[in-house]
Amino acid sequence: MQNQEVMEKTEEIKKISLVELKEISIKLDLVLTPCGFEFHPFKVGWYNEQVAKSFCLPYHEDTLVYVVISTPSMFEKAFLPFVTELGCLKSTQDPLDQCMVHCFSGIKKAFPSESVITIHDFELSPSRRPKVLVQTAGHVAGAVRYYQRKDLKSDPWDPKKKVFGVCLHPLYGGWFALRGVVIFPQVVCPELKPQKPKDILQSDEELLDLLKRYNDHWQDWTFRDIIPVRERYSEQQKEYFSTKPGERKVLIEKYCIQS
């Protein structure tokens, strides 16, 4: 991060302590936790070290970022109230994406004197690439463990086969989603130390089983229960996500009638 633009920005940077970091986290807690989200801090540098240059975030390496994760309760706490109270059937945007935008908007309101940038998992750059790799963000924040093919000691697949990686949460297994990041571009926290993600799986066999379930049988949900979990999606939530996006309008109409 040695380009002139970033170097010029450092003059505006505010250095905070771990105590001040906790104060930021308390404000985020008030906005996000009641809606079924959790959040974890990390530094831009940790993320940039793990991604290709085209995905790097153009900020000082100590810049404060939070990854935001939806827990199983988000559907009932945030999504259903959103679609039934505010409505979104007339919009062409995905209702869940609209809900995430609505929830993230509360973050900026909580920090009126700070510059805050939010990036959602569904946002794309002009080149049609994701603006942020949320799986990597979750991993470097220590919130989830990002398991990839390269982690296998013995790889049984043809080198030409595409094998997608998958994240596991230590409490929710696969019953969660990485929703985006919150960047404080003018705030650095040099004291923040890396949190190593918990190595949830214990063997190469378990990792291979997870990757096979995720890549070949993701629709049967079993990859999400690869470990014992604290909480799963409700049956209503599973019904919604099992339904094709173009057919979810009927479900939303049903939710509105039932509310």
Side-chain angles (χ1 to χ4, degrees):
M1 310 312 300
Q2 298 299 314
N3 61 64
Q4 186 65 32
E5 180 184 3
V6 173
M7 291 176 69
E8 290 175 355
K9 286 181 179 179
T10 60
E11 298 178 3
E12 308 168 6
I13 284 177
K14 177 175 66 176
K15 184 184 297 186
I16 66 170
S17 65
L18 291 179
V19 172
E20 292 170 303
L21 173 67
K22 186 175 182 179
E23 293 173 353
I24 292 176
S25 295
I26 289 173
K27 288 185 178 181
L28 285 173
D29 180 62
L30 292 173
V31 174
L32 295 173
T33 302
C35 295
F37 296 95
E38 61 178 44
F39 51 91
H40 303 262
F42 65 97
K43 295 180 184 179
V44 161
W46 304 349
Y47 170 86
N48 286 349
E49 289 174 359
Q50 301 297 320
V51 300
K53 187 176 180 179
S54 58
F55 290 108
C56 284
L57 298 172
Y59 306 102
H60 186 280
E61 62 182 12
D62 284 334
T63 299
L64 177 64
V65 192
Y66 286 84
V67 64
V68 179
I69 295 173
S70 63
T71 69
S73 67
M74 180 279 298
F75 191 81
E76 282 73 25
K77 290 180 176 180
F79 182 68
L80 290 182
F82 176 77
V83 295
T84 57
E85 294 174 16
L86 299 182
C88 53
L89 293 177
K90 295 181 181 180
S91 174
T92 58
Q93 187 181 10
D94 181 86
L96 185 63
D97 291 351
Q98 290 182 67
C99 179
M100 294 302 101
V101 171
H102 173 73
C103 292
F104 276 44
S105 68
I107 298 172
K108 294 184 178 181
K109 293 178 182 178
F111 298 92
S113 61
E114 295 284 355
S115 174
V116 180
I117 297 172
T118 58
I119 305 177
H120 298 275
D121 66 305
F122 55 81
E123 289 189 74
L124 302 177
S125 68
S127 61
R128 305 300 296 172
R129 290 187 176 190
K131 286 188 175 182
V132 64
L133 300 178
V134 289
Q135 290 179 308
T136 300
H139 183 91
V140 300
V144 295
R145 178 69 161 83
Y146 185 21
Y147 287 103
Q148 302 179 73
R149 181 179 188 172
K150 66 181 183 180
D151 298 321
L152 284 169
K153 297 175 182 177
S154 179
D155 187 339
W157 286 297
D158 185 313
K160 296 180 180 179
K161 177 180 173 61
K162 179 68 174 179
V163 179
F164 295 97
V166 57
C167 288
L168 288 183
H169 189 287
L171 298 180
Y172 304 117
W175 301 99
F176 74 97
L178 294 146
R179 297 300 180 185
V181 298
V182 180
I183 306 170
F184 292 82
Q186 295 174 317
V187 176
V188 298
C189 187
E191 296 179 29
L192 181 61
K193 302 300 181 184
Q195 297 294 318
K196 187 176 181 180
K198 184 177 181 180
D199 197 3
I200 301 168
L201 303 180
Q202 305 302 316
S203 68
D204 213 42
E205 290 73 21
E206 288 180 336
L207 174 53
L208 179 60
D209 184 30
L210 171 66
L211 293 177
K212 284 183 175 179
R213 289 173 185 264
Y214 182 69
N215 282 270
D216 301 330
H217 308 287
W218 62 270
Q219 290 178 309
D220 67 9
W221 306 88
T222 59
F223 82 90
R224 300 178 187 272
D225 278 320
I226 204 76
I227 61 168
V229 297
R230 172 182 291 182
E231 185 180 357
R232 297 178 177 84
Y233 290 175
S234 64
E235 290 304 313
Q236 188 176 41
Q237 185 172 183
K238 288 166 68 176
E239 177 190 29
Y240 184 83
F241 288 121
S242 296
T243 302
K244 295 179 180 179
E247 300 173 2
R248 291 173 179 171
K249 180 179 178 181
V250 175
L251 290 178
I252 293 176
E253 290 175 339
K254 183 174 70 173
Y255 303 155
C256 291
I257 294 173
Q258 294 174 343
S259 65

